[in-house]
Amino acid sequence: MRAARLIKMVLLLQSRPSMTAAELARELEVSERTVTRDAQALSEAGVPVYADRGRIGGYRLVGGYRTRLTGLARGEAEALFLSGVPGALREMGLEDAASAARLKVSAALLPSLRDASRTAAQRFHLDAPNWFREPETPELLPAVADAVWDDRRIGARYRRGSGERRQEVERQLEPYGLVLKAGVWYLCARVAGRDSFRVYRIDRFTAVEPCEERFERAEEFDLPAFWEERAEQFARSILRAEVVVRLSAEGVRRLPYAVDSGVAREVLEGVAAPGDGEWVTVTLPVESEEVARTQLASLGAEAEVVEPDSLREFFASEAERVVRLYRGESRVFAPPPLPSRPWGLRPRTPFCAVPRALGG
C-alpha cells in the first residue's frame, strides 16, 4: 500500500512544477505528516525530492528527474479510453484504475501539455442519465463489469416478467459488453452453449457468481453494431397500432418532435411538403391509442385524426373541455374513458423499460 502511494507521489511531482504538503495530502488521502515521512523515504531511496521552505514552499523534483514507472497496465489503458464517462467508471469500479492511468499519462507529457486533462474537462462533459430521473447504480454492476473485462463466464439469476407472471430464471452467461443507455445499464451476453446474443437489464439481476471458466470471444461480435440493431428492433416492436392523421405544413414540421424521429422520417418519406393552407394525410405507427393521445396533443390544431373513430372522438371531446375551461363555463369536465387494451400493453415508457424484444 505504501509502495503504491510513494509511486503516486513521484508521479504527481513529476507532472507539476511543485506541490504543497496540503495538496499532496489531499491527492494521496493521507495526513501532511505522512507526506513528510514519504518525501524523506523517497529522498533516502535516491529520488531527488526537494522541500522548499516558507509560505509558498512545497515539494518538487530536482534536476528534471523523470521516473520510468509510467507504463500503463492493461486495465488502466482500457479504463483510460472510458475516462470521459467518470460516472460510468465509478459505477463499474474502475475509477481508481482510470485515475492512475491519467496520472501516468500526465507525468509522461511535456510540461507545456500537462494541463491538457484539466482544459479538456472544462470543454467536454458527458451527462448520461435522463432528465428528471435519479440514476441508481445496480448493486451487482461491479461484479458483472469484472466478468466482462476478464472474459469470464458468470452464473446469473434474474427477474423476468412482471406482476403475477414474474419469475426468476437462472442462466450461465458469457458477458460480452456493457451499455449505459439513458442512465440504465444493460448487459449484452450469450447464453453458454448457444449462438444468439441477448440483452439483460443489470438491475434485474438478483445474483451473479463468477465462474472459473473463461470463454473465447467471437471475433465477429461488434458491440456498437449489435446494440444499434437491437435498439432499432425494440423501437419497432412497441409500435403495435396505427392512426391516420391529416397534417398541416406546420404539423409536418413538428411531427419529428412529437413522435420518434425515425418513424416520422419513414412516414413523411416521399410525401410532398404541403404549402400554406394545404394538408397531407399519413398513416402513423404508434405504440397504443393512449400513447397517441399524448403525442398528437402536442401538435394542437396542426393535426387532425381521421382514424380510428375512438381517438377522433377523444380529441373532439378534449377540445370541448379546453374551450369550456377557458370560458369559465365548467371547472369539471371528465375526459372519455380509455379504450380497453390487451393485458400487458402499457403507456409509452422510456427506452429503459425493456420488453422481450430487447432483453431477457
Side-chain angles (χ1 to χ4, degrees):
M1 183 71 176
R2 189 188 185 198
R5 189 174 71 242
L6 292 174
I7 292 173
K8 186 173 183 179
M9 183 174 180
V10 173
L11 293 173
L12 284 167
L13 294 175
Q14 184 175 312
S15 64
R16 307 179 193 181
S18 68
M19 295 184 69
T20 65
E23 290 173 336
L24 284 168
R26 185 166 55 252
E27 290 283 351
L28 300 173
E29 299 181 348
V30 295
S31 66
E32 293 185 29
R33 180 171 296 181
T34 299
V35 168
T36 301
R37 289 198 298 264
D38 286 350
Q40 183 177 354
L42 287 171
S43 181
E44 292 173 354
V47 178
V49 178
Y50 182 80
D52 291 316
R53 305 288 181 180
R55 184 172 59 85
I56 59 173
Y59 293 92
R60 61 186 174 87
L61 293 176
V62 179
Y65 176 85
R66 304 195 56 85
T67 176
R68 295 182 180 275
L69 298 174
T70 53
L72 292 178
R74 178 178 177 83
E76 293 169 346
E78 291 172 333
L80 185 62
F81 286 105
L82 296 174
S83 59
V85 197
L89 284 170
R90 183 172 56 253
E91 293 178 7
M92 289 190 291
L94 297 173
E95 187 175 27
D96 290 342
S99 176
R102 287 193 296 267
L103 185 57
K104 289 181 178 181
V105 170
S106 179
L109 292 174
L110 294 173
S112 61
L113 299 177
R114 286 176 185 165
D115 65 342
S117 60
R118 181 184 62 81
T119 56
Q122 295 304 317
R123 288 166 173 78
F124 176 76
H125 174 69
L126 176 62
D127 184 11
N130 254 335
W131 288 103
F132 316 116
R133 177 185 178 88
E134 188 66 28
E136 297 182 2
T137 303
E139 181 180 350
L140 297 174
L141 175 60
V144 176
D146 285 345
V148 170
W149 291 119
D150 207 24
D151 292 340
R152 190 180 297 276
R153 287 183 178 179
I154 58 174
R157 189 164 66 246
Y158 67 97
R159 300 188 303 273
R160 187 167 66 181
S162 59
E164 295 180 357
R165 301 184 63 179
R166 175 174 168 176
Q167 57 179 322
E168 284 202 351
V169 181
E170 293 187 14
R171 293 283 188 273
Q172 189 176 68
L173 302 176
E174 296 176 351
Y176 268 70
L178 291 166
V179 175
L180 177 60
K181 171 70 175 180
V184 180
W185 285 95
Y186 300 92
L187 171 67
C188 301
R190 183 166 62 179
V191 177
R194 301 183 186 177
D195 294 330
S196 60
F197 291 88
R198 303 193 68 183
V199 177
Y200 303 86
R201 275 185 61 151
I202 301 293
D203 58 7
R204 291 183 181 174
F205 284 99
T206 59
V208 171
E209 185 66 33
C211 303
E212 291 296 328
E213 182 182 1
R214 286 183 169 86
F215 64 92
E216 185 174 348
R217 295 178 67 90
E219 293 183 3
E220 68 275 9
F221 180 77
D222 184 331
L223 180 59
F226 169 77
W227 179 260
E228 182 179 0
E229 179 184 358
R230 190 56 61 92
E232 184 177 349
Q233 291 176 1
F234 164 73
R236 293 182 178 280
S237 71
I238 63 175
L239 303 178
R240 307 171 184 174
E242 289 184 343
V243 298
V244 180
V245 185
R246 292 179 68 241
L247 298 170
S248 67
E250 178 63 14
V252 169
R253 188 188 69 80
R254 287 162 49 182
L255 185 64
Y257 302 97
V259 302
D260 179 82
S261 58
V263 172
R265 279 196 305 271
E266 290 185 11
V267 167
L268 297 174
E269 186 176 359
V271 175
D276 292 339
E278 297 180 345
W279 293 67
V280 295
T281 302
V282 298
T283 300
L284 185 67
V286 295
E287 182 177 346
S288 67
E289 188 171 321
E290 183 179 356
V291 171
R293 290 182 176 188
T294 303
Q295 293 176 324
L296 297 180
S298 65
L299 298 178
E302 308 301 332
E304 178 192 359
V305 174
V306 179
E307 295 178 1
D309 291 339
S310 57
L311 187 59
R312 183 179 175 87
E313 290 170 4
F314 166 80
F315 278 110
S317 176
E318 192 72 2
E320 282 185 36
R321 183 185 176 200
V322 172
V323 170
R324 291 178 181 232
L325 178 65
Y326 280 93
R327 287 181 176 174
E329 298 177 6
S330 175
R331 295 298 180 187
V332 179
F333 188 79
L338 293 173
S340 60
R341 58 179 185 270
W343 185 94
L345 186 59
R346 297 172 294 177
R348 185 174 180 82
T349 53
F351 187 94
C352 56
V354 182
R356 290 186 180 180
L358 186 56

